[in-house]
Amino acid sequence: MTNRSLLTKQKLLDAATDIIMEQGVHHLTLDEVAKTAGVSKGGLLYHYPSKEALLTAIVERLQTEQNELYESLQTEGNGPVEAFVRLFDETKLHPERSAIHIDAEKMIAFLTLFAVDQEYAERWKHDLDTFFAQFQQTSDPVETMIIRYALEGMMMSEHFNVGVAPPALKQDIIARLIERARNIDSGKTD
Amino acid sequence: MTNRSLLTKQKLLDAATDIIMEQGVHHLTLDEVAKTAGVSKGGLLYHYPSKEALLTAIVERLQTEQNELYESLQTEGNGPVEAFVRLFDETKLHPERSAIHIDAEKMIAFLTLFAVDQEYAERWKHDLDTFFAQFQQTSDPVETMIIRYALEGMMMSEHFNVGVAPPALKQDIIARLIERARNIDSGKTD
DNA sequence: GAGAACAAACCGTCTGGTCGGTACAGAAAG
DNA sequence: CTTTCTGTACCGACCAGACGGTTTGTTCTC
Protein backbone atom coordinates (compact mmCIF):
# COMPACT_ATOMS: atom_id res chain seq x y z
CA MET A 1 0.00 0.00 0.00
CA THR A 2 1.97 2.97 -1.27
CA ASN A 3 1.36 6.55 -0.28
CA ARG A 4 -0.06 7.36 -3.66
CA SER A 5 -2.51 4.50 -3.48
CA LEU A 6 -3.65 5.59 -0.03
CA LEU A 7 -4.24 9.12 -1.24
CA THR A 8 -6.40 7.95 -4.12
CA LYS A 9 -8.45 5.77 -1.82
CA GLN A 10 -9.02 8.73 0.47
CA LYS A 11 -10.13 10.86 -2.45
CA LEU A 12 -12.58 8.17 -3.52
CA LEU A 13 -14.10 7.78 -0.06
CA ASP A 14 -14.35 11.55 0.33
CA ALA A 15 -16.07 11.86 -3.02
CA ALA A 16 -18.54 9.09 -2.26
CA THR A 17 -19.42 10.56 1.14
CA ASP A 18 -19.90 13.99 -0.37
CA ILE A 19 -22.23 12.66 -3.02
CA ILE A 20 -24.40 10.88 -0.47
CA MET A 21 -24.58 13.96 1.74
CA GLU A 22 -25.33 16.43 -1.02
CA GLN A 23 -27.39 14.48 -3.51
CA GLY A 24 -28.66 11.38 -1.75
CA VAL A 25 -27.69 7.74 -2.21
CA HIS A 26 -29.43 7.16 -5.46
CA HIS A 27 -26.99 9.47 -7.18
CA LEU A 28 -24.11 7.47 -5.81
CA THR A 29 -22.98 5.76 -9.02
CA LEU A 30 -19.51 4.49 -9.73
CA ASP A 31 -19.14 6.90 -12.64
CA GLU A 32 -20.13 9.83 -10.46
CA VAL A 33 -17.76 8.86 -7.66
CA ALA A 34 -14.88 8.42 -10.09
CA LYS A 35 -15.59 11.73 -11.78
CA THR A 36 -15.89 13.62 -8.48
CA ALA A 37 -12.66 12.10 -7.19
CA GLY A 38 -10.86 12.92 -10.43
CA VAL A 39 -10.14 9.25 -11.11
CA SER A 40 -11.27 6.99 -13.92
CA LYS A 41 -13.84 4.31 -13.34
CA GLY A 42 -11.17 1.72 -13.92
CA GLY A 43 -9.03 3.38 -11.29
CA LEU A 44 -11.89 3.26 -8.81
CA LEU A 45 -12.55 -0.42 -9.39
CA TYR A 46 -8.86 -1.13 -9.06
CA HIS A 47 -8.99 0.01 -5.44
CA TYR A 48 -12.53 -1.06 -4.61
CA PRO A 49 -13.40 -4.06 -6.75
CA SER A 50 -17.16 -3.58 -6.35
CA LYS A 51 -19.65 -1.00 -5.25
CA GLU A 52 -20.30 -3.12 -2.20
CA ALA A 53 -16.62 -2.88 -1.28
CA LEU A 54 -16.75 0.88 -1.62
CA LEU A 55 -19.77 1.15 0.66
CA THR A 56 -18.16 -1.12 3.21
CA ALA A 57 -15.05 1.06 3.21
CA ILE A 58 -17.14 4.18 3.77
CA VAL A 59 -18.90 2.72 6.77
CA GLU A 60 -15.70 1.32 8.25
CA ARG A 61 -13.89 4.62 8.03
CA LEU A 62 -16.84 6.38 9.59
CA GLN A 63 -17.00 3.93 12.47
CA THR A 64 -13.30 4.30 13.12
CA GLU A 65 -13.48 8.08 13.17
CA GLN A 66 -16.48 8.02 15.47
CA ASN A 67 -14.86 5.62 17.91
CA GLU A 68 -11.65 7.64 18.04
CA LEU A 69 -13.52 10.83 18.85
CA TYR A 70 -15.69 9.10 21.43
CA GLU A 71 -12.64 7.67 23.17
CA SER A 72 -10.86 11.00 23.20
CA LEU A 73 -13.91 12.72 24.65
CA GLN A 74 -14.01 10.21 27.48
CA THR A 75 -10.32 10.52 28.30
CA GLU A 76 -10.89 14.27 28.56
CA GLY A 77 -13.02 13.61 31.61
CA ASN A 78 -16.51 13.32 30.17
CA GLY A 79 -18.65 10.49 31.43
CA PRO A 80 -19.92 7.99 28.86
CA VAL A 81 -23.30 9.64 28.40
CA GLU A 82 -22.00 13.20 28.29
CA ALA A 83 -19.30 12.11 25.85
CA PHE A 84 -22.02 10.73 23.63
CA VAL A 85 -23.93 13.99 23.67
CA ARG A 86 -20.79 15.96 22.86
CA LEU A 87 -20.07 13.54 20.02
CA PHE A 88 -23.01 15.06 18.17
CA ASP A 89 -22.05 18.62 18.82
CA GLU A 90 -18.30 18.38 18.58
CA THR A 91 -18.10 20.02 15.18
CA LYS A 92 -19.62 23.24 16.45
CA LEU A 93 -17.84 23.27 19.81
CA HIS A 94 -14.34 22.47 18.61
CA PRO A 95 -14.00 23.04 14.88
CA GLU A 96 -10.21 22.94 15.26
CA ARG A 97 -10.56 19.24 15.89
CA SER A 98 -11.00 18.64 12.22
CA ALA A 99 -8.38 15.89 12.12
CA ILE A 100 -10.83 13.48 13.69
CA HIS A 101 -13.75 15.55 12.58
CA ILE A 102 -17.01 13.68 12.27
CA ASP A 103 -20.24 15.52 12.12
CA ALA A 104 -23.89 14.65 12.06
CA GLU A 105 -24.05 14.97 8.30
CA LYS A 106 -21.61 12.15 7.84
CA MET A 107 -23.35 9.94 10.31
CA ILE A 108 -26.55 10.43 8.39
CA ALA A 109 -24.83 9.48 5.18
CA PHE A 110 -23.96 6.33 7.06
CA LEU A 111 -27.49 5.67 8.26
CA THR A 112 -28.79 6.41 4.82
CA LEU A 113 -26.89 3.44 3.48
CA PHE A 114 -28.89 1.29 5.88
CA ALA A 115 -32.12 2.77 4.68
CA VAL A 116 -31.44 1.69 1.16
CA ASP A 117 -31.14 -1.99 1.87
CA GLN A 118 -32.19 -3.94 4.93
CA GLU A 119 -29.84 -6.75 4.05
CA TYR A 120 -26.91 -4.38 4.13
CA ALA A 121 -27.96 -3.00 7.50
CA GLU A 122 -27.93 -6.46 9.05
CA ARG A 123 -24.20 -6.74 8.57
CA TRP A 124 -23.54 -3.81 10.90
CA LYS A 125 -26.20 -4.52 13.46
CA HIS A 126 -23.95 -6.38 15.85
CA ASP A 127 -21.29 -3.69 16.11
CA LEU A 128 -23.85 -1.02 16.86
CA ASP A 129 -25.75 -3.21 19.29
CA THR A 130 -22.71 -3.75 21.48
CA PHE A 131 -21.92 -0.06 21.39
CA PHE A 132 -25.39 0.92 22.51
CA ALA A 133 -25.68 -1.81 25.13
CA GLN A 134 -23.75 0.31 27.63
CA PHE A 135 -26.51 2.90 27.59
CA GLN A 136 -28.88 0.50 29.25
CA GLN A 137 -26.66 0.16 32.29
CA THR A 138 -26.37 3.71 33.57
CA SER A 139 -27.86 5.10 36.75
CA ASP A 140 -30.98 6.07 34.78
CA PRO A 141 -31.45 3.91 31.69
CA VAL A 142 -34.75 5.52 30.76
CA GLU A 143 -33.34 9.03 30.67
CA THR A 144 -30.17 7.81 28.96
CA MET A 145 -32.15 6.25 26.15
CA ILE A 146 -34.25 9.38 25.81
CA ILE A 147 -31.08 11.41 25.42
CA ARG A 148 -29.68 9.02 22.87
CA TYR A 149 -32.88 8.89 20.85
CA ALA A 150 -33.24 12.68 21.00
CA LEU A 151 -29.76 13.16 19.56
CA GLU A 152 -30.43 10.71 16.75
CA GLY A 153 -33.76 12.33 16.00
CA MET A 154 -32.19 15.77 15.95
CA MET A 155 -29.57 14.50 13.56
CA MET A 156 -32.23 13.19 11.20
CA SER A 157 -34.25 16.35 11.39
CA GLU A 158 -31.26 18.55 10.58
CA HIS A 159 -30.16 16.35 7.73
CA PHE A 160 -33.53 16.44 6.03
CA ASN A 161 -33.88 20.06 7.06
CA VAL A 162 -37.37 19.31 8.29
CA GLY A 163 -38.83 21.19 11.24
CA VAL A 164 -35.41 22.17 12.53
CA ALA A 165 -35.04 24.21 15.70
CA PRO A 166 -33.59 27.72 15.35
CA PRO A 167 -29.96 27.96 16.51
CA ALA A 168 -30.78 29.51 19.88
CA LEU A 169 -33.29 26.79 20.71
CA LYS A 170 -30.93 24.13 19.53
CA GLN A 171 -28.25 25.39 21.88
CA ASP A 172 -30.68 25.24 24.76
CA ILE A 173 -31.63 21.71 23.83
CA ILE A 174 -28.03 20.56 23.77
CA ALA A 175 -27.37 22.36 27.04
CA ARG A 176 -30.24 20.61 28.76
CA LEU A 177 -29.18 17.24 27.37
CA ILE A 178 -25.63 17.77 28.61
CA GLU A 179 -26.90 18.77 32.03
CA ARG A 180 -28.94 15.59 32.30
CA ALA A 181 -26.13 13.46 30.92
CA ARG A 182 -23.87 14.84 33.66
CA ASN A 183 -26.40 13.90 36.30
CA ILE A 184 -26.64 10.39 34.96
CA ASP A 185 -22.89 9.97 34.73
CA SER A 186 -22.47 11.18 38.31
CA GLY A 187 -25.06 8.70 39.53
CA LYS A 188 -27.84 11.10 40.44
CA THR A 189 -31.16 9.42 39.78
CA ASP A 190 -32.67 12.89 39.33
CA MET B 1 -63.09 6.30 -9.97
CA THR B 2 -64.89 2.96 -9.72
CA ASN B 3 -64.78 0.69 -6.73
CA ARG B 4 -62.62 -1.80 -8.54
CA SER B 5 -60.14 0.89 -9.49
CA LEU B 6 -59.92 2.11 -5.91
CA LEU B 7 -59.26 -1.38 -4.64
CA THR B 8 -56.40 -1.93 -7.07
CA LYS B 9 -54.87 1.39 -6.12
CA GLN B 10 -55.00 0.40 -2.47
CA LYS B 11 -53.35 -2.92 -3.24
CA LEU B 12 -50.59 -1.15 -5.13
CA LEU B 13 -49.89 1.34 -2.37
CA ASP B 14 -49.95 -1.43 0.22
CA ALA B 15 -47.53 -3.52 -1.81
CA ALA B 16 -45.17 -0.60 -2.34
CA THR B 17 -45.17 0.29 1.35
CA ASP B 18 -44.54 -3.32 2.32
CA ILE B 19 -41.59 -3.59 -0.02
CA ILE B 20 -39.97 -0.46 1.37
CA MET B 21 -40.47 -1.65 4.93
CA GLU B 22 -39.28 -5.19 4.41
CA GLN B 23 -36.59 -4.92 1.80
CA GLY B 24 -35.55 -1.29 1.59
CA VAL B 25 -36.18 1.30 -1.09
CA HIS B 26 -33.75 0.03 -3.62
CA HIS B 27 -35.87 -3.06 -4.11
CA LEU B 28 -38.86 -0.88 -4.84
CA THR B 29 -39.12 -1.49 -8.58
CA LEU B 30 -42.26 -1.22 -10.65
CA ASP B 31 -42.07 -4.90 -11.56
CA GLU B 32 -41.77 -5.87 -7.92
CA VAL B 33 -44.67 -3.68 -6.83
CA ALA B 34 -46.88 -5.02 -9.58
CA LYS B 35 -45.96 -8.61 -8.77
CA THR B 36 -46.53 -8.16 -5.03
CA ALA B 37 -49.87 -6.49 -5.61
CA GLY B 38 -50.91 -9.23 -8.01
CA VAL B 39 -51.27 -6.77 -10.87
CA SER B 40 -49.41 -6.50 -14.13
CA LYS B 41 -46.94 -3.73 -14.73
CA GLY B 42 -49.28 -2.26 -17.31
CA GLY B 43 -52.01 -2.23 -14.71
CA LEU B 44 -49.81 -0.40 -12.27
CA LEU B 45 -48.86 2.27 -14.78
CA TYR B 46 -52.48 2.66 -15.73
CA HIS B 47 -53.24 3.95 -12.23
CA TYR B 48 -49.93 5.61 -11.47
CA PRO B 49 -48.41 6.81 -14.75
CA SER B 50 -44.88 7.01 -13.33
CA LYS B 51 -42.85 5.82 -10.41
CA GLU B 52 -42.78 9.38 -9.17
CA ALA B 53 -46.59 9.42 -9.11
CA LEU B 54 -46.61 6.20 -7.12
CA LEU B 55 -44.18 7.59 -4.54
CA THR B 56 -46.19 10.77 -4.26
CA ALA B 57 -49.34 8.76 -3.63
CA ILE B 58 -47.61 6.75 -0.91
CA VAL B 59 -46.49 9.85 0.92
CA GLU B 60 -49.85 11.55 0.54
CA ARG B 61 -51.76 8.61 1.92
CA LEU B 62 -49.36 8.38 4.82
CA GLN B 63 -49.73 12.06 5.61
CA THR B 64 -53.50 11.83 5.49
CA GLU B 65 -53.59 8.83 7.82
CA GLN B 66 -51.22 10.50 10.23
CA ASN B 67 -53.18 13.73 10.32
CA GLU B 68 -56.47 11.91 10.88
CA LEU B 69 -55.08 9.95 13.79
CA TYR B 70 -53.44 13.03 15.27
CA GLU B 71 -56.68 14.97 15.08
CA SER B 72 -58.68 12.17 16.66
CA LEU B 73 -56.18 11.87 19.48
CA GLN B 74 -56.54 15.56 20.21
CA THR B 75 -60.33 15.50 20.19
CA GLU B 76 -60.14 12.68 22.73
CA GLY B 77 -58.70 15.15 25.19
CA ASN B 78 -54.98 14.82 24.71
CA GLY B 79 -52.96 18.02 24.49
CA PRO B 80 -50.96 18.60 21.31
CA VAL B 81 -47.70 17.27 22.70
CA GLU B 82 -49.21 14.23 24.41
CA ALA B 83 -51.18 13.47 21.28
CA PHE B 84 -47.93 13.49 19.35
CA VAL B 85 -46.34 11.03 21.74
CA ARG B 86 -49.32 8.73 21.52
CA LEU B 87 -49.20 8.96 17.75
CA PHE B 88 -46.05 6.86 17.88
CA ASP B 89 -47.41 4.28 20.22
CA GLU B 90 -50.98 4.09 19.04
CA THR B 91 -50.60 0.76 17.32
CA LYS B 92 -49.71 -0.98 20.55
CA LEU B 93 -52.20 0.85 22.72
CA HIS B 94 -55.25 0.53 20.49
CA PRO B 95 -54.75 -2.15 17.86
CA GLU B 96 -58.49 -2.10 17.13
CA ARG B 97 -57.96 1.30 15.57
CA SER B 98 -56.56 -0.36 12.48
CA ALA B 99 -58.81 1.59 10.15
CA ILE B 100 -56.61 4.63 10.56
CA HIS B 101 -53.72 2.55 11.66
CA ILE B 102 -50.33 4.13 11.16
CA ASP B 103 -47.29 2.79 12.89
CA ALA B 104 -43.69 3.77 13.18
CA GLU B 105 -42.65 1.31 10.49
CA LYS B 106 -44.72 3.10 7.92
CA MET B 107 -43.45 6.49 8.92
CA ILE B 108 -39.94 5.24 8.44
CA ALA B 109 -40.78 3.96 5.01
CA PHE B 110 -41.86 7.50 4.41
CA LEU B 111 -38.68 9.06 5.76
CA THR B 112 -36.66 6.56 3.81
CA LEU B 113 -37.99 8.01 0.60
CA PHE B 114 -36.43 11.29 1.62
CA ALA B 115 -33.11 9.67 2.34
CA VAL B 116 -32.84 8.43 -1.18
CA ASP B 117 -33.06 11.76 -2.89
CA GLN B 118 -32.60 15.23 -1.46
CA GLU B 119 -34.51 16.75 -4.32
CA TYR B 120 -37.56 14.66 -3.53
CA ALA B 121 -37.40 15.62 0.14
CA GLU B 122 -37.55 19.31 -0.71
CA ARG B 123 -41.06 18.93 -2.08
CA TRP B 124 -42.44 17.89 1.29
CA LYS B 125 -40.37 20.14 3.48
CA HIS B 126 -42.98 22.87 3.74
CA ASP B 127 -45.81 20.64 4.93
CA LEU B 128 -43.69 19.12 7.63
CA ASP B 129 -42.25 22.45 8.68
CA THR B 130 -45.65 23.93 9.35
CA PHE B 131 -46.70 20.84 11.27
CA PHE B 132 -43.65 20.97 13.51
CA ALA B 133 -43.76 24.74 13.99
CA GLN B 134 -46.38 24.37 16.74
CA PHE B 135 -43.90 22.47 18.87
CA GLN B 136 -41.80 25.55 19.28
CA GLN B 137 -44.63 27.46 20.93
CA THR B 138 -45.48 25.33 23.93
CA SER B 139 -44.87 26.17 27.56
CA ASP B 140 -41.48 24.48 27.34
CA PRO B 141 -40.15 24.44 23.77
CA VAL B 142 -36.85 22.87 24.75
CA GLU B 143 -38.46 19.88 26.42
CA THR B 144 -41.04 19.61 23.66
CA MET B 145 -38.36 19.37 21.02
CA ILE B 146 -36.47 16.80 23.06
CA ILE B 147 -39.63 14.69 23.22
CA ARG B 148 -40.20 15.04 19.50
CA TYR B 149 -36.62 14.19 18.62
CA ALA B 150 -36.59 11.26 21.04
CA LEU B 151 -39.65 9.75 19.38
CA GLU B 152 -38.17 10.13 15.94
CA GLY B 153 -34.87 8.65 17.09
CA MET B 154 -36.64 5.72 18.70
CA MET B 155 -38.53 5.14 15.49
CA MET B 156 -35.30 5.04 13.51
CA SER B 157 -33.64 2.74 15.98
CA GLU B 158 -36.51 0.27 15.92
CA HIS B 159 -36.73 0.31 12.18
CA PHE B 160 -33.08 -0.53 11.70
CA ASN B 161 -33.29 -2.83 14.68
CA VAL B 162 -30.14 -1.25 16.03
CA GLY B 163 -29.53 -0.93 19.75
CA VAL B 164 -33.23 -1.23 20.54
CA ALA B 165 -34.49 -1.03 24.10
CA PRO B 166 -36.11 -4.17 25.54
CA PRO B 167 -39.94 -3.96 25.74
CA ALA B 168 -40.03 -3.16 29.46
CA LEU B 169 -37.56 -0.31 29.09
CA LYS B 170 -39.37 0.96 26.06
CA GLN B 171 -42.62 1.14 27.99
CA ASP B 172 -40.90 3.12 30.73
CA ILE B 173 -39.50 5.50 28.14
CA ILE B 174 -42.90 6.11 26.60
CA ALA B 175 -44.44 6.53 30.04
CA ARG B 176 -41.90 9.17 30.99
CA LEU B 177 -42.36 10.98 27.71
CA ILE B 178 -46.12 11.02 28.17
CA GLU B 179 -45.74 12.33 31.69
CA ARG B 180 -43.57 15.20 30.51
CA ALA B 181 -45.84 15.89 27.56
CA ARG B 182 -48.77 16.22 29.98
CA ASN B 183 -46.85 18.72 32.06
CA ILE B 184 -46.04 20.76 29.00
CA ASP B 185 -49.60 20.69 27.73
CA SER B 186 -50.93 21.78 31.09
CA GLY B 187 -48.49 24.67 31.19
CA LYS B 188 -46.23 23.51 33.98
CA THR B 189 -42.71 24.73 33.27
CA ASP B 190 -41.42 21.76 35.28
C1' DG C 1 -70.44 -2.09 -27.91
C1' DA C 2 -67.84 1.40 -25.62
C1' DG C 3 -64.85 2.77 -22.38
C1' DA C 4 -62.43 1.40 -18.27
C1' DA C 5 -59.17 -1.86 -16.36
C1' DC C 6 -55.69 -4.73 -17.07
C1' DA C 7 -52.00 -7.95 -19.61
C1' DA C 8 -47.62 -8.64 -21.81
C1' DA C 9 -44.21 -7.97 -25.11
C1' DC C 10 -41.01 -4.58 -26.10
C1' DC C 11 -37.64 -0.45 -26.05
C1' DG C 12 -34.01 2.83 -24.53
C1' DT C 13 -31.28 4.25 -20.91
C1' DC C 14 -28.62 3.78 -16.99
C1' DT C 15 -25.25 1.42 -14.35
C1' DG C 16 -22.32 -2.10 -12.24
C1' DG C 17 -18.73 -4.60 -13.70
C1' DT C 18 -15.18 -6.57 -17.34
C1' DC C 19 -11.24 -6.29 -20.13
C1' DG C 20 -7.45 -5.05 -22.90
C1' DG C 21 -4.23 -1.75 -22.80
C1' DT C 22 -0.91 2.28 -21.03
C1' DA C 23 2.56 4.67 -17.96
C1' DC C 24 6.01 4.23 -15.00
C1' DA C 25 9.09 2.89 -11.26
C1' DG C 26 12.27 -0.16 -9.84
C1' DA C 27 14.61 -4.88 -10.05
C1' DA C 28 17.20 -8.22 -12.79
C1' DA C 29 20.11 -9.44 -16.47
C1' DG C 30 23.55 -8.58 -19.94
C1' DC D 1 25.16 1.53 -18.42
C1' DT D 2 21.41 -0.25 -21.12
C1' DT D 3 18.11 -3.49 -21.83
C1' DT D 4 14.57 -6.40 -20.32
C1' DC D 5 11.27 -7.70 -17.12
C1' DT D 6 7.72 -7.16 -13.49
C1' DG D 7 4.28 -5.31 -10.60
C1' DT D 8 1.53 -1.29 -9.35
C1' DA D 9 -1.64 2.25 -10.55
C1' DC D 10 -4.70 3.77 -13.74
C1' DC D 11 -7.49 4.50 -18.18
C1' DG D 12 -11.64 4.11 -21.08
C1' DA D 13 -14.29 1.42 -24.35
C1' DC D 14 -17.46 -2.04 -23.98
C1' DC D 15 -21.07 -5.44 -22.28
C1' DA D 16 -25.10 -7.49 -19.95
C1' DG D 17 -28.68 -6.98 -17.03
C1' DA D 18 -32.02 -4.15 -14.61
C1' DC D 19 -35.44 -0.86 -14.69
C1' DG D 20 -38.73 2.88 -16.02
C1' DG D 21 -41.80 3.62 -19.39
C1' DT D 22 -44.45 2.68 -24.14
C1' DT D 23 -47.31 0.28 -27.15
C1' DT D 24 -50.52 -2.84 -28.50
C1' DG D 25 -53.80 -6.07 -27.57
C1' DT D 26 -57.33 -8.29 -24.45
C1' DT D 27 -60.96 -8.70 -20.92
C1' DC D 28 -64.26 -7.02 -17.84
C1' DT D 29 -68.15 -3.98 -16.66
C1' DC D 30 -71.98 -1.20 -17.51
Side-chain angles (χ1 to χ4, degrees), chain A residues 143 147 176-184, chain B residues 143 180:
Chain A
E143 192 62 39
I147 292 172
R176 194 176 293 189
L177 291 177
I178 287 182
E179 182 196 332
R180 286 188 188 156
R182 278 220 182 99
N183 287 339
I184 293 168
Chain B
E143 192 61 39
R180 287 191 186 153

Side-chain angles (χ1 to χ4, degrees), chain A residues 2 5 8 39-40 42 46-47:
Chain A
T2 69
S5 171
T8 305
V39 175
S40 75
Y46 172 78
H47 292 289

Side-chain angles (χ1 to χ4, degrees), chain B residues 68-82:
Chain B
E68 279 174 10
L69 180 51
Y70 186 65
E71 296 296 331
S72 79
L73 282 167
Q74 280 192 296
T75 56
E76 281 169 19
N78 297 294
V81 182
E82 185 178 354

Side-chain angles (χ1 to χ4, degrees), chain B residues 2 8 40 46-47:
Chain B
T2 70
T8 305
S40 74
Y46 172 79
H47 293 288

Side-chain angles (χ1 to χ4, degrees), chain A residues 71-187:
Chain A
E71 295 295 330
S72 78
L73 283 167
Q74 280 192 295
T75 57
E76 281 169 20
N78 299 294
V81 181
E82 185 178 353
F84 187 74
V85 179
R86 294 200 180 276
L87 198 59
F88 282 77
D89 206 43
E90 191 60 21
T91 312
K92 283 88 189 177
L93 294 176
H94 300 287
E96 75 278 7
R97 224 188 250 270
S98 57
I100 47 174
H101 168 111
I102 175 172
D103 55 312
E105 285 296 308
K106 279 193 188 170
M107 289 188 65
I108 277 291
F110 171 93
L111 262 185
T112 297
L113 292 177
F114 289 6
V116 173
D117 196 339
Q118 303 296 75
E119 203 177 309
Y120 186 72
E122 278 304 311
R123 291 178 31 206
W124 300 95
K125 185 173 143 33
H126 181 70
D127 284 345
L128 292 168
D129 271 350
T130 54
F131 178 80
F132 284 125
Q134 62 177 308
F135 289 124
Q136 290 176 30
Q137 291 162 342
T138 63
S139 66
D140 187 349
V142 172
E143 192 62 39
T144 306
M145 289 298 273
I146 289 177
I147 292 172
R148 180 201 136 191
Y149 286 148
L151 288 166
E152 290 175 359
M154 185 161 66
M155 201 170 70
M156 291 297 295
S157 163
E158 299 218 338
H159 176 67
F160 294 126
N161 197 26
V162 155
V164 289
L169 180 56
K170 195 194 157 192
Q171 253 185 321
D172 289 345
I173 293 171
I174 297 274
R176 194 176 293 189
L177 291 177
I178 287 182
E179 182 196 332
R180 286 188 188 156
R182 278 220 182 99
N183 287 339
I184 293 168
D185 286 331
S186 64

